[in-house]
C-alpha cells in the first residue's frame, strides 16, 4: 500500500513538474521589434504570474533605453528605485554617458518568474549582460533595476559619469 501511494505521488509530482511550462515557441512573444522573443529560443517560459503583462513592461523599458528616452525609461521604474535615483540624475548620466547603446536591440536571455509579484530577467545588449526584475505593484508591472545600477547612482550623477568614463563605458 505504501509503495503504491509513493508511486502515485511520484507520478503526480512528475506530471506537475513537466506540465508547468509552455512548449518552445509558445507563450508570450515580444511585440516590439527592438526586443527579441521573451526568452532564449527553446527555453520554456512558466505560466506563473502574468508573464505576458510583465514582459510588456520589460519590452517598453528596453525600447525606451534603446531609443535614448531616459525620462520615459525612468518612469517605468518601481517607486523604491525612483527614490534612490532621482530622474534628473538618471537623465544627466545617460545623456552624457549612455548605459544603453542607442539603437542597439536589448535581447532577453532568461525570464524567471519568482513569485506572483516578481519576475527576474537576464538580458544582453551587444557584449553587455545585465540583470533586472519586474515587480507587480498594485495592478501595474514596474521595472526594477539591479542593485549595481542603484549603487552606481548612489554618489550622485557626477560620480556615476566619472566612473563610466574611467571604465571606458562612456
Amino acid at each position: 500500500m505504501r509503495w503504491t501511494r509513493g508511486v502515485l505521488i511520484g507520478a503526480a509530482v512528475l506530471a506537475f513538474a513537466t506540465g508547468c511550462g509552455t512548449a518552445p515557441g509558445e507563450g508570450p512573444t515580444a511585440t516590439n521589434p527592438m526586443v527579441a522573443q521573451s526568452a532564449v529560443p527553446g527555453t520554456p517560459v512558466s505560466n506563473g504570474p502574468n508573464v505576458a503583462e510583465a514582459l510588456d513592461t520589460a519590452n517598453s523599458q528596453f525600447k525606451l533605453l534603446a531609443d535614448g528616452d531616459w525620462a520615459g525609461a525612468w518612469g517605468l521604474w518601481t517607486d523604491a528605485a525612483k527614490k534612490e535615483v532621482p530622474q534628473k540624475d538618471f537623465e544627466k548620466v545617460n545623456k552624457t554617458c549612455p548605459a544603453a547603446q542607442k539603437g542597439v536591440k536589448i535581447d532577453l536571455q532568461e525570464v524567471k518568474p519568482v513569485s506572483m509579484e516578481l519576475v527576474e530577467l537576464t538580458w544582453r545588449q551587444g557584449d553587455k549582460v545585465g540583470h533586472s526584475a519586474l515587480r507587480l505593484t498594485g495592478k501595474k508591472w514596474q521595472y526594477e533595476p539591479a542593485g549595481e545600477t542603484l549603487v552606481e547612482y548612489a554618489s550622485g550623477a557626477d560620480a556615476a559619469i566619472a566612473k563610466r568614463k574611467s571604465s571606458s563605458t562612456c
Side-chain angles (χ1 to χ4, degrees), residues 48-51 54 78 111-121 132-137 141-144:
N50 191 335
V51 174
T78 61
V111 177
K112 181 180 173 189
V114 176
S115 69
M116 295 304 285
E117 294 84 26
L118 182 66
V119 176
E120 293 179 347
L121 305 173
S132 55
L134 300 163
R135 188 169 296 279
L136 185 62
T137 54
W141 285 96
Q142 294 181 305
Y143 184 80
E144 187 170 79

Side-chain angles (χ1 to χ4, degrees), residues 16 24 29 40 46 67 106 110 114 140 149 164:
F16 177 75
T29 59
V40 176
S46 171
D67 289 348
I106 299 173
E110 182 178 7
V114 176
K140 181 177 165 186
T149 298
R164 286 185 184 181

Side-chain angles (χ1 to χ4, degrees), residues 30 32-41 58-59 62-63 66 104-111 121-130:
N32 182 332
M34 295 299 293
V35 181
Q37 295 297 327
S38 61
V40 176
N59 289 336
F62 295 153
K63 178 165 181 7
V104 178
K105 177 175 62 172
I106 299 173
D107 296 316
L108 286 170
Q109 301 293 297
E110 182 178 7
V111 177
L121 305 173
T122 302
W123 49 265
R124 174 184 297 275
Q125 186 184 39
D127 292 337
K128 182 179 179 181
V129 174

